[in-house]
Every structure is written in C-alpha cells, then in structure tokens.
Amino acid sequence: MPDMSAIVNPQQRQFNPYAENGGTILAIAGADFTVIAGDTRQSEGYSIQTRYAPKVFHLTDRAVLAVNGFAADGNMFVKKVKQRLEWYRHAHAKDMPLRAIARLIQTMLYAQRFFPYYVYNILGGIEEDGTGAVYSFDPVGSYEREACRAAGAAQSLVQPFLDNQIYFKNQTPAQGSSHPAHLPLPDVLSIVIDSFTSATERHIEVGDGLEMYIVLAKGRTLPDAVTTLRPQELPSSAGDGERVFVLKRDLKKD
Amino acid sequence: MSIMEHNGGSVIAMAGKDCVAIASDLRLGAGAMTVALNFEKIFPVTDRIYMGLTGLATDIITLRDRFRYLVNMFTIKESRAIEPSTYAHLVSSTLYSRRFGPYFTEPVLAGLERTPSGGFKPYIAGADLIGCLNFAEDFIVAGTASDKLFGVAEGLWEPDLGPEDLFETISQTLLNAVDRDAYSGWGAIVYIITPEKVITRTLKGRMD
Amino acid sequence: MDHFPTNWGRPKYDGFDTNATYPFHDHGHNQSAAFAGATQHTQQPIVTGTSVLAIKYKDGIMMAADNLASYGSLARFKGVQRLHPIGDYTVVGASGDMSDFQYLQHVLDGLVISEEINAQDGHTLGPAEIHEYLSQVMYSRRSKMNPLWNSLLVGGVKDGQRFLAYVDLLGVTYFASTLATGYGAYIAQPLLRKAVEGRENTLTEPEARGILEEALRVLFYRDARSINQYQIATITANGVDISGSLKLETAWGFAEGIRGYGSQTQ
C-alpha cells in the first residue's frame, strides 16, 4: 500500500491561534477578606517577554479577577468582563455582586465553547453577606466557590501546599481542639508569599514580581502586621464599603 | 501513556541534622487501575543507606536485585560496607551502562556518610533513568508526584531538622503531594536514618 | 527542475521534495489546497523581514531594523523600509510578512486620516492608541483564523510619556524598556537588557544609538536573514525622525585564522 497520506491530507502548516504565556495565580478567602495574587512574568517557551505584565485585575470595589494562560485571550477576556460590569453599573446604578460576576464569567466563557478563551480564571472578593469568597473557573466556564485555589504553570507545586496550610489536610488537631475554618490576614499573606517564593525557586515560568490584592469587607481595617508592609489602597467608588489594597514585591532574581 | 508513569509511585528523601529521611507511597498501578497497596519502593542497601526506586515496577525489582548483588560483591572484595557517595556512583555507572536501552527508573538515595573524624554526615542523592546524579543539600524527589513534591517540600523543608521534626516534614510533604496525584498514594512508608538506629513508620493515607 | 507550472514563482516548501525524486503518487499535491476552497485562510509568511529592535532612552524611544525583505533564503528586496511613522508621535516597526505589513500601513494611515485629518476635533493619536488599535486588529484577525503574519513594535512619545510595546500575529502584547522581535529576541534582547535596564533615564542619544548598532551588528553576524544596511528611528518630544539607509561596519579579519571559514585551501 503506497503512502496515501499526502493525497488524502494535503500538507499544510496549520496556524495555531494559541500560546502559553506561563505564570501562576492564586487566591485565598478569609472570613471577612480575600487575597488574590499573581506573579508578573510573561514568557513564551524559554524567552521572558516582559518582567511586568499584570495578571490580576481590579474589577469593582469588592471583586478582583486573576487570569492565567494565553495572554492575548486573557487581556481580551478581562476587557470584556469590565465592559459588561460597566454596562451593569449604568443600568442598575450599583456594582454587580460577586456571585453574579461569577455566573457572568461562566456564561461568557461557555459562549466560546467551540473556540475557547485559553485562560484559567480565579475571581476573588467579598460576597453580599460580607464573607470572603473565591471562585475558580476552567477555560469553558465550569466553576465553583472555594476557600482557596492556585492555577497556572505552578498549580501542581502550589495547590498541595495550600491543601496542607489552608485546609490543614493530613493534619490532626490536638485533643479537644479543632482547626480554624479561616486564617487571619497576616497568616494568609505569609502563605501566599511562601507559595510564590517556592514556585519561583522551582518553576522557570514563575518569577520577577508578585502582586497581591487584598479585598476587605465593609467596616474592616488592615491589621498592624499588614499595614507595616505598606500596601497601596485603591480608590473606591463608595467611601464606606469594601476596600481594595495592593501589595507589590520583587521575587528572587537568580 | 508514558512507561515512567505506567505503574505510578513517588519517593522523596530529605536531609536533616545528623539524620536523613526517605519515604515513598505504597501504590502499584497498571495505568489508571490500582492493583496493589503494599508495593514498597525503598530498600535497605547497608545499615546506613536506603534507596528508593520509582518508575516501571519490573525495573524496580530487577534493579533492587542487581544492586544487592553489586553491593554484596563490593562488600566481599573490600571487606567493608559501601559508603553512600561510592554507592551513588555505582548506581550512576550501572544505569549509564544501559544508556541506549535504559531501565525506566529514577533512583533516590539517602544515607549517612562516614566523615574522616569518625562522625556521620547526611548524604542524599538522586539520578535520572540514565544515571545523571543530582546531589542536593535539602531534598530529592522522584516519581509521578515529583512536581507536587517539589512544591510542598520547597515550602515545608528547613535546614537542621532533628529526627522527629524531619519525620513530620517528610510525612506531611509526601502525603499532601500524593493526595493531588492520581498515580501515587494509598499509604506511605517512612524511614528515618540516624547514626544509632533506623526508624521505620508506616502511614495511613487517603484511599479515595 | 520543478515540472509543475503551478509551483513556479512560489516559494518552495523545504519539507517537500522539490526535485521530484519521489514516486509519482507522492507529488504535485503540495499546492492542491491553494485553489481547492472558496477562501484560503491560514497562510504562511512569504516575503519576510527579520528582527526589529527598540529601546527606551533619556529623550524617548529608539528603534532599529535592517532594510532586507527575504523570499525564503533569497535576499529578495534590499532596500525595504520596515520602520513606519504613524501620526506625529509614533513609529511602528515590523518583522514577518512584508505584504501584511504594507496592508497594516494602509490601515493605520487610513486611521490617521479619519481620526485626525477628517475629525479635526483637536484629538490626536499617540503611540498608546496606535498600539491598542493595532493589537485589536491583530487579535481579531487571529480569531478569524486568518492572521496578519507579523511581530510589531510600537514606540513613541506623547505628552512627555515614553511608550514602547509589542504585538504579534496572535494578538499577544507586552511592554518593556527593551524589545526585540524574531531572532533578535534570542540574540539581541540579552545585550539590550544588559545595556539599558536601570539606565532608561540617563542613556544619551549617541549611547542609545551605539547600543542598537552593536546589537544589529551581532545580528548581522549570526542571523542569515539579515543584511548590513539598516535604519534607526528616534521618537522624542521633538517628533519622529527616521534615518536614511545606513551601513553597518563589520570586521571579517578573524576568518583568516579559522579553518574552513577563510581562504585556506588545506
């Protein structure tokens, strides 16, 4: 049998509309706050394209979105989410609630079911009842609410560490005590920094910079241990509601 | 399906203060199907050296026997126990002798090396399937959960841990890593090697 | 000799048996898809330009590209300008397919006409706007599976702000104080980063020019699709300036000492 493949399938270089741009994102919910973080390196293959390309975006006074995967799709997706949130604001004279943003993101992702946005989304913020919340998505819109989630290049390095440190997996509480359901903010920030330090050490696509967004529930203030890190407060539309802060730091250079 | 992932399984070794630890899971699989929960992957080499082998189960058993033979020959010829650093190079050259048709295993070594002053120094090492040695001062990982083990170990390990703290660190690292790996888990076994004794502990793990 | 006239005048596909040394059943089909469907998407680049380099310096942005447009391995057009001014504040530098780049020049010139000349609303297009528009064009074309096969650098200065960004056929964008496309990303970018990072606000124009010239020279030595004629664009508060075609000084004396490189016969 002669090789018929050249006739049946005329050879053609197929254009690949996707790329992988590395990086890792992470979010952890507390009782009355949420931390959403991401590194700032953007790469393709072994090349670093830039050392500062944000992956975490401030959406509303109580919602922050982290986007990881194919950078062009990520930026376009964030642009379109922001546009929908602006339309909502004009129509209803208020910000969209977090759980509604989560459902909106599902719908927008699933709308591209047959030419997906190649991005993993993690949405963090404050729910209407004042609790911290994290929603994580796959590229075609499957989503769930969780207490913590890592995604991206170093997901496999970070997620089991989070299972251990946030969910206390494989740890038995001392007799007569129990594990806390939520950790305080300084502890959560330490775990986030440790996670990215570890990922930077062992994954070539993670590094350069770390951006941590902190969303605080209504009426809450930053503990002193966090204020000393000098986070920058982002302007909010309503003065008395939830507040968003950013903490930036360098990741190891070598 | 990669040959290195066919049977599943993971091993980790860590260095502590005057002690080392090595641990593995107990699963044996055939692709996604689990066929045994008591497949040990760590073997004693001398009183002070333990070796873990991940990868293809049949090669794990072959190499276990082969290295036992080679160590016996060394002991007879030299009338002394082999040192960890010597053994590491024995492993390396044995694997490299099959450079173009390798055994599909990644070995991990943990032992205590005799110092000139008569004391003991922690010694851990790893190798790839063709014997490229990796000497680390902190920890060595191998197997289907290696990326997860790297992440957790990098977060939990610290220098100069005593035997009990090292046991807790290596156990937590292994259990939390294999719980995120479909091809590893179903129980674990941990060896803590100190100059005086070797402590062996079997751990329960998630079975879902 | 290629006996299939429909292949004549087309770039050869290196992975295909152009000398027709294979049995009959295997050839004559490499171009069959070209006219098979009503529309053909997913092309490949035909006449291509190689690396574009750009850096930030004290007074603004400096961008450089050589003057070659290649046809496969043939140095086909040796006097092509790959740096294109848009409006009063911006330069776009292109690598990749030159016909797609000409189309983009047409689109961007049209944009300036409609947004600045016709509107006359006092608003002008700066580098940030040009880059945003360009990246939307590139992304929408990739989403139609019909990309414009280019990697582009956009540099400019407006309202005292320096701007330097990248966009490619996938719609991927990024910003940095040194940028390089194509082979330049591997060969020139490390040199540029070493020379520029941390010195963006102190590098003088001659220093910046020297850095780019040296990077272009290294590229000319190592990139087989490059040529020793180039242009440099400077964008400062005073506006856009694109140099004429300049010649790279190169030294080949070392070749004498290398067997197989110089003129030795033994």
Side-chain angles (χ1 to χ4, degrees), chain C residues 2-236:
Chain C
D2 189 337
H3 299 280
F4 292 86
T6 47
N7 286 343
W8 297 354
R10 291 171 176 279
K12 68 175 182 181
Y13 174 53
D14 285 337
F16 195 74
D17 175 29
T18 39
N19 293 316
T21 52
Y22 266 68
F24 283 115
H25 68 261
D26 243 14
H27 54 75
H29 294 278
N30 60 327
Q31 85 298 354
S32 62
F35 308 105
T39 56
Q40 195 203 9
H41 282 332
T42 66
Q43 346 131 35
Q44 49 179 319
I46 308 294
V47 176
T48 58
T50 186
S51 321
V52 186
L53 316 177
I55 58 175
K56 275 187 187 169
Y57 73 107
K58 184 160 69 84
D59 306 326
I61 303 294
M62 198 176 281
M63 195 183 289
D66 70 19
N67 288 320
L68 179 65
S70 306
Y71 179 67
S73 59
L74 172 70
R76 181 65 181 83
F77 304 104
K78 296 185 175 188
V80 169
Q81 183 172 129
R82 299 195 286 123
L83 304 175
H84 183 70
I86 303 287
D88 296 334
Y89 315 97
T90 312
V91 169
V92 175
S95 58
D97 191 284
M98 287 296 104
S99 66
D100 283 350
F101 178 48
Q102 284 191 0
Y103 167 74
L104 281 172
Q105 291 175 40
H106 171 77
V107 168
L108 292 173
D109 289 344
L111 180 75
V112 174
I113 289 169
S114 62
E115 292 293 314
E116 291 186 9
I117 314 285
N118 294 348
Q120 292 288 344
D121 56 2
H123 295 288
T124 48
L125 296 167
E129 291 79 14
I130 300 288
H131 177 260
E132 180 64 25
Y133 185 89
L134 205 47
S135 53
Q136 294 300 318
V137 171
M138 299 300 276
Y139 183 81
S140 67
R141 285 292 292 265
R142 89 96 216 188
S143 299
K144 290 169 185 152
M145 290 297 278
N146 185 198
L148 293 165
W149 216 286
N150 300 105
S151 294
L152 305 152
L153 299 189
V154 181
V157 178
K158 196 188 176 202
D159 305 327
Q161 285 288 102
R162 290 172 297 180
F163 181 96
L164 182 55
Y166 168 100
V167 58
D168 66 16
L169 73 168
L170 292 172
V172 171
T173 57
Y174 48 90
F175 308 81
S177 55
T178 68
L179 287 175
T181 69
Y183 259 91
Y186 304 109
I187 295 173
Q189 181 73 301
L191 305 170
L192 298 180
R193 283 182 183 158
K194 192 176 178 191
V196 174
E197 275 182 4
R199 284 195 274 269
E200 292 88 348
N201 301 319
T202 50
L203 281 176
T204 63
E205 202 214 282
E207 283 173 331
R209 191 176 293 274
I211 290 164
L212 283 182
E213 270 175 18
E214 183 58 24
L216 283 169
R217 184 163 21 249
V218 174
L219 277 171
F220 176 59
Y221 283 133
R222 286 294 173 182
D223 176 4
R225 303 287 174 269
S226 68
I227 201 169
N228 57 347
Q229 295 170 81
Y230 68 99
Q231 283 170 288
I232 284 194
T234 51
I235 311 99
T236 64

Side-chain angles (χ1 to χ4, degrees), chain B residues 188-208:
Chain B
I189 187 162
V190 185
Y191 298 87
I192 315 289
I193 306 164
T194 68
E196 295 80 35
K197 59 179 191 269
V198 176
I199 306 160
T200 308
R201 291 190 181 127
T202 309
L203 305 177
K204 282 186 182 172
R206 283 181 73 122
M207 301 181 65
D208 60 356

Side-chain angles (χ1 to χ4, degrees), chain A residues 156-157 159-161 163-165 169-171 198 201-202, chain B residues 138-139 147-148 150-152 154-156 172 176 179-180:
Chain A
S156 61
L157 284 75
Q159 191 65 53
F161 179 66
D163 291 344
N164 188 225
Q165 298 293 310
K169 289 279 172 67
N170 294 111
Q171 290 190 262
S198 296
E201 195 70 30
R202 293 289 179 177
Chain B
D138 44 10
F139 48 84
D147 48 349
K148 289 116 181 159
F150 266 128
V152 189
E154 194 65 57
L156 296 186
Q172 287 294 323
N176 287 287
D179 284 352
R180 281 282 176 183

